[in-house]
Amino acid sequence: MSDPIEQGARAAAQRLTTPAYANLAHEVEVALHNRGTDRRPGQYTDPVALAGLIVSIATLAWTVFNDIRSRNSAAPAPTPDTVARRVRLELDQTDATAPPIPPADRDRIIATTVEETLRAAPEPDSDPV
């Protein structure tokens, strides 16, 4: 079974690739490979750091999604907007030392990554990842 975090990060990288970040998909692959290690980007303005941010957001989105879903399994699955709000709050608390990126860019990166991660989520009736 595929991993929604990996699928979401890869799909977000494809959507967020620009001429300035032409190697973003490759850098996300590197960040996925390094996931779980102590390596953490110091800024989010270069492709390597941006890739790390995307993987971090995908991981956090999946955690938030599962947390909300497990608290009330009878309720419908949380929406991407709900998950993105929680992800923004978590990032605000944990990334206080990271240099800021423009708010519009940050919101676009978060929204895109959350959307793609949730799109990759298995249906509730299927086997868990």
Side-chain angles (χ1 to χ4, degrees):
M1 171 152 283
S2 60
D3 180 355
I5 295 168
E6 291 179 5
Q7 284 185 309
R10 287 180 180 124
Q14 292 297 322
R15 286 180 55 189
L16 294 167
T17 295
T18 65
Y21 299 114
N23 292 325
L24 186 58
H26 172 72
E27 298 301 338
V28 164
E29 290 299 327
V30 171
L32 285 168
H33 177 73
N34 291 327
R35 183 170 60 156
T37 65
D38 289 338
R39 293 183 56 190
R40 181 178 170 93
Q43 60 179 347
Y44 299 133
T45 56
D46 66 76
V48 174
L50 180 58
L53 176 63
I54 290 170
V55 172
S56 294
I57 292 169
T59 302
L60 184 55
W62 185 241
T63 301
V64 167
F65 175 79
N66 281 313
D67 180 53
I68 293 171
R69 192 169 62 172
S70 69
R71 288 182 185 201
N72 189 356
S73 59
T79 66
D81 286 341
T82 300
V83 174
R85 259 193 312 278
R86 289 258 315 259
V87 166
R88 280 187 199 92
L89 290 172
E90 291 286 331
L91 287 177
D92 287 345
Q93 292 175 358
T94 60
D95 278 353
T97 61
I101 59 173
D105 290 346
R106 181 177 181 263
D107 287 345
R108 184 173 55 86
I109 292 164
I110 291 169
T112 300
T113 305
V114 167
E115 181 181 307
E116 292 297 342
T117 302
L118 297 187
R119 183 176 288 151
E123 293 297 322
D125 296 327
S126 66
D127 293 330
V129 174

